[in-house]
Amino acid sequence: GVLMMCPMNNYLEQELDKRFKLFRYWTQPRQRDFLSQQAESIRAVVGNAFAGADAELIDVLPKLEIVSSFSVGLDKVDLIKCKEKGIRVTNTPDVLTDDVADLAIGLMLAVLRRICECDKFVRRGQWSSGDFKLTTRFSGKRVGIIGLGRIGLAVAQRAVAFDCPISYFSRSEKPNTNFKYYGTVVELASNCDILVVACALTPETRHIVNREVINALGPNGVLINIGRGPHVDEPELVSALAEGRLGGAGIDVFEKEPEVPEQLFGLENVVLLPHVGSGTVETRKAMADLVLGNLEAHFASKPLLTPVV
Ligand code: 8YV
């Protein structure tokens, strides 16, 4: 049997139902009882960015062989425990890179050019009372990227087309790029106009954007988060935006999704999105096919398509 942790994609759910004995975890009224009853028959878990396989779940599933995540980020999977127990783990890299990078650029444009506010202005009929205020140019702004992996690099390549000088922070300098490297996030933030979070969430990168980084980015700086909510100290972000210590923010991910700090609702210098970086028909289909392909490969004893553990 395959245990799906939460609703994520209709096509994926239908195909899992066709090909395996599918258990829908979120529909179980008593989840603990359900787990103890079905523990022996669950050989695979399908999770996503919201619900994965933590140590507690892994411990109650003695027959678990594989965790196939409908996400590239694996912060909701206890990778160390999986490794220890010989449980395979797969994710959905590459297929979502372009969409997430596109959305990062969209957020930059939306924040600087006030696209959402302009739209409201027209809909509310305010145009007849005068022109919209002037906004800020995007082309040529210095873009700093935390994490130059697949997504970070795709953001950089797009920003280059807007004549943006690119710099980055990562654990070590990348040998094959000419982008400027900074060894600390504070230095990166001090030397860019737009700071993008594009790294994996790990214990080391939790709150990688803290008060000091936000202050270094400054009153004209913009933060773009298409990574994970906990990368950013959210109360610090909210107070910096409210006090004008940070210029603006475009945010697709939050610390306690779907909860969003209400103070943000009243701010004009922010664009708030409901975690939709990979949310296109095309990409979600490709992600679902990767989850299915990995499970099929595993149960046919073939090489996994996108193994992580
Ligand atoms: C999804 C994600 O939004 O890939 C990731 O890491 O955060 C996402 O693509 C999520 O897993 C959808 O269920």
Side-chain angles (χ1 to χ4, degrees), residues 91-260:
N91 64 345
T92 61
D94 302 314
V95 294
L96 47 66
T97 300
D98 285 343
D99 280 358
V100 178
D102 290 353
L103 197 76
I105 299 293
L107 280 170
M108 294 177 198
L109 282 164
V111 171
L112 292 175
R113 301 302 303 271
R114 298 278 199 261
I115 293 175
C116 304
E117 232 190 301
C118 280
D119 176 271
K120 271 188 218 147
F121 181 84
V122 173
R123 284 172 199 249
R124 287 175 180 159
Q126 288 168 285
W127 194 5
S128 49
S129 330
D131 286 343
F132 193 81
K133 67 185 178 207
L134 298 184
T135 61
T136 304
R137 171 194 290 253
F138 169 51
S139 283
K141 287 290 182 291
R142 298 168 302 166
V143 171
I145 303 174
I146 302 176
L148 204 65
R150 303 178 190 91
I151 294 172
L153 195 60
V155 173
Q157 286 163 346
R158 283 158 175 73
V160 164
F162 289 86
D163 293 326
C164 298
I166 309 294
S167 54
Y168 70 100
F169 164 84
S170 61
R171 276 168 298 184
S172 56
E173 192 168 354
K174 306 274 170 192
N176 42 10
T177 97
N178 294 322
F179 301 140
K180 176 148 183 55
Y181 174 73
Y182 289 102
T184 70
V185 180
V186 171
E187 277 180 281
L188 178 67
S190 308
N191 288 286
C192 68
D193 305 300
I194 303 170
L195 182 65
V196 187
V197 184
C199 58
L201 179 64
T202 64
E204 293 75 45
T205 63
R206 187 177 174 273
H207 285 191
I208 197 165
V209 176
N210 55 21
R211 184 180 177 91
E212 199 190 348
V213 170
I214 291 168
N215 286 339
L217 192 53
N220 294 316
V222 170
L223 178 73
I224 302 293
N225 191 1
I226 43 90
R228 284 287 185 260
H231 279 129
V232 178
D233 185 332
E234 202 165 77
E236 286 292 346
L237 174 66
V238 172
S239 59
L241 286 164
E243 292 162 19
R245 278 184 289 115
L246 181 64
I251 321 171
D252 188 40
V253 287
F254 298 85
E255 277 206 288
K256 289 196 200 78
E257 294 171 9
E259 282 170 46
V260 175

Side-chain angles (χ1 to χ4, degrees), residues 8 48-50 70-73 92 96 228 275 278 284 287:
M8 44 195 98
N48 70 354
F50 306 99
F70 185 70
S71 68
V72 66
T92 61
L96 47 66
R228 284 287 185 260
H275 199 146
S278 69
R284 289 286 167 85
M287 289 166 66

